Amino acid sequence: MPAFRSASRSERRILGLDNEDVLKVAAGNLNYLLGINPLEISYITGHGERRVTRTIHEIYNKDDLLEMPSGYMPGGPNNNGRYTFSAKAYNGSSIDWETNEQALNYNSPLTFLVAMLSQSNEATIQLEAEQAGLSGGVQVNTNHPGYTGSGFLDGFWNFGGTATFTINVPVSGKYNVTARYGNAASNPATVSLIVNGTKIKQTSLPLLANWDTWGNQTETVTLNAGVNTLAYKYDNGDTGIINLDHIRVSPAPIEAETATRLGFASVYNDSSASGGQAVEYLHVSGNGIQFNNVPAATSLTVSYASINSGTYSMYVNGVKTQTINFTGNGQWNGAYTSVTVPVNIPAGATLKFQCDAGDSGWNVDYIILQ
């Protein structure tokens, strides 16, 4: 996957990167190209088990390659009056220019589509505190080293002091918000966390060695698709007196151990797993895990461990939608890796991972939907 420059706020708005409906359509188009179509074939060379291997390309055809390099997309099905089912009117011949010629005007939109979904699925957003809306005596300072950006915030000794961040996320759901803070005053220091105008909790920030030391504290909050506000405020019952450097916002993982287990899949303890647990025995046919009432998503990340590489089946609302290809990390526990795939999951859906015939086994730590 090529690296793409991060889009600015205005670019995201113009391109529809914060519009959930636009992203669903985009993900659906890419899923079609990758094999969720009537022929169940990937129209992108190098991607998918059943895929296009050769298109009309003068250079590569002359080299008599069995398979072209990755990333080429032909024109695809072209009925031209010859077929009763247009979506199946594809001929993979290297001399059929009507359906199998790759061209710039096909592949340029493919590049844009992949770039668009890559931008929309940036997993972590870092927001510098000095860019937040400040009120009640909170101010920018630079008199302690180690901060990121151009400074940090102090002034939380003033009752009512508030820093308000504007957060833009592609889909609604639970997100982890990690504050990088300083605290050499109280054990712990406390401030109120306010999301979209509603106080949701008092967050506790453990005591650190001195004011030149920075720590991290994570809270899980629910955000709406689009623009949200999140504020740290010295409010009633708080100690205040903290410094604030930045916050990092990322989709909260959904732990596999919270899913409904199918067959005799079971939970095991592992200090290396997120939350200290993961799910095993997913290599047996019919075994699996099921997540209910999941948020809408165009991207799925699975954290797993497996000695071998292989595939695993995914179902949305009881219908098998795709097979996930994964690469083994050489062990069943103690360390985990991840795979990310485009998906098209509606809000409130049931998401199931099940071992079907031909699938391999993995142990699952958590999933992230965004």
Side-chain angles (χ1 to χ4, degrees):
M1 178 77 68
F4 299 102
R5 175 182 63 83
S6 295
S8 68
R9 183 172 296 178
S10 60
E11 288 171 333
R12 292 183 67 89
R13 184 177 66 253
I14 293 169
L15 297 175
L17 299 183
D18 300 317
N19 186 313
E20 191 171 347
D21 291 333
V22 171
L23 294 175
K24 284 181 180 179
V25 172
N29 287 340
L30 186 58
N31 286 336
Y32 182 97
L33 296 175
L34 288 170
I36 303 179
N37 55 61
L39 288 178
E40 297 184 343
I41 184 173
S42 170
Y43 291 113
I44 303 175
T45 60
H47 295 273
E49 292 184 10
R50 186 168 182 264
R51 60 183 180 265
V52 172
T53 56
R54 299 184 67 186
T55 71
I56 295 180
H57 191 294
E58 289 189 13
I59 296 175
Y60 291 126
N61 288 165
K62 289 178 180 179
D63 289 341
D64 294 324
L65 296 177
L66 294 178
E67 183 165 0
M68 290 176 57
S70 298
Y72 287 96
M73 182 184 72
N78 184 335
N79 188 28
N80 200 21
R82 295 176 298 175
Y83 301 89
T84 56
F85 188 16
S86 300
K88 288 188 175 182
Y90 172 71
N91 180 7
S93 169
S94 60
I95 61 172
D96 189 339
W97 62 269
E98 287 185 300
T99 68
N100 206 37
E101 180 183 23
Q102 59 82 29
L104 182 62
N105 58 319
Y106 306 149
N107 287 263
S108 292
L110 173 63
T111 301
F112 174 84
L113 181 63
V114 172
M116 176 185 183
L117 291 172
S118 297
Q119 290 282 357
S120 71
N121 292 322
E122 291 174 347
T124 302
I125 305 167
Q126 179 167 311
L127 300 173
E128 295 296 335
E130 61 271 22
Q131 298 174 344
L134 309 181
S135 61
V138 172
Q139 61 188 5
V140 178
N141 208 333
T142 59
N143 63 342
H144 295 291
Y147 56 81
T148 60
S150 59
F152 62 88
L153 302 183
D154 64 12
F156 283 97
W157 54 77
N158 296 297
F159 182 78
T162 306
T164 303
F165 296 86
T166 299
I167 304 172
N168 207 333
V169 296
V171 296
S172 59
K174 293 187 179 299
Y175 288 80
N176 284 342
V177 178
T178 300
R180 189 170 192 257
Y181 72 94
N183 168 31
S186 303
N187 189 20
T190 57
V191 289
S192 293
L193 190 60
I194 300 169
V195 177
N196 293 324
T198 300
K199 180 176 177 177
I200 62 167
K201 70 172 301 181
Q202 182 184 76
T203 185
S204 296
L205 308 173
L207 184 69
L208 302 172
N210 51 57
W211 286 110
D212 292 341
T213 302
W214 297 97
N216 295 292
Q217 177 68 16
T218 300
E219 302 286 358
T220 301
V221 302
T222 299
L223 299 178
N224 303 319
V227 178
N228 300 261
T229 59
L230 183 142
Y232 290 85
K233 180 179 181 179
Y234 179 8
D235 204 0
N236 292 320
D238 298 332
T239 67
I241 317 178
I242 65 165
N243 292 341
L244 188 60
D245 183 23
H246 66 239
I247 64 170
R248 291 174 64 84
V249 183
S250 59
I254 304 174
E255 299 292 342
E257 59 268 24
T258 66
T260 300
R261 296 184 295 278
L262 309 176
F264 53 88
S266 63
V267 174
Y268 65 95
N269 296 323
D270 185 352
S271 60
S272 298
S274 171
Q277 294 182 315
V279 177
E280 62 184 348
Y281 296 120
L282 299 176
H283 64 286
V284 178
S285 181
N287 282 11
I289 49 177
Q290 180 173 296
F291 300 87
N292 300 315
N293 194 29
V294 299
T298 58
S299 174
L300 163 73
T301 298
V302 181
S303 175
Y304 67 92
S306 179
I307 290 180
N308 303 309
S309 300
T311 61
Y312 217 78
S313 298
M314 187 185 92
Y315 292 75
V316 176
N317 291 330
V319 177
K320 184 173 180 177
T321 56
Q322 63 194 90
T323 300
I324 299 172
N325 293 280
F326 64 88
T327 301
N329 67 335
Q331 53 196 100
W332 289 113
N333 53 50
Y336 296 83
T337 186
S338 65
V339 59
T340 300
V341 295
V343 293
N344 189 5
I345 300 173
T350 297
L351 177 62
K352 180 174 69 172
F353 301 93
Q354 178 176 288
C355 184
D356 287 347
D359 285 340
S360 308
W362 58 3
N363 292 348
V364 177
D365 181 10
Y366 62 80
I367 66 170
I368 293 177
L369 294 168
Q370 54 181 316

